[in-house]
Amino acid sequence: MQVINRSKDRVVAKTVHVADTFRSRLKGLLGRKDFPPGEGWFCIPAHRFIPVS
């Protein structure tokens, strides 16, 4: 999945990790050392995209 800023016609992240279950939202970013450039995290049902790099 990609995240695109439509108003600026720009790709915000090429790879997005989706947290769409209780367990994945609970874990969140724990245990992640880092995100490579171009990655982000999307939490559902919060409907927010968090660019990490």
Side-chain angles (χ1 to χ4, degrees):
M1 174 193 313
Q2 288 188 353
V3 174
I4 300 172
N5 181 331
R6 290 184 185 175
S7 65
K8 296 183 180 181
D9 195 32
R10 179 177 157 222
V11 175
V12 177
K14 292 185 179 186
T15 305
V16 179
H17 302 274
V18 179
D20 57 354
T21 65
F22 175 77
R23 185 180 182 123
S24 62
R25 287 189 303 272
L26 184 64
K27 181 179 178 195
L29 300 175
L30 293 175
R32 294 286 314 219
K33 190 172 185 178
D34 60 2
F35 271 91
E39 286 194 15
W41 187 66
F42 187 76
C43 183
I44 299 172
H47 303 293
R48 293 190 183 171
F49 171 72
I50 302 169
V52 184
S53 54

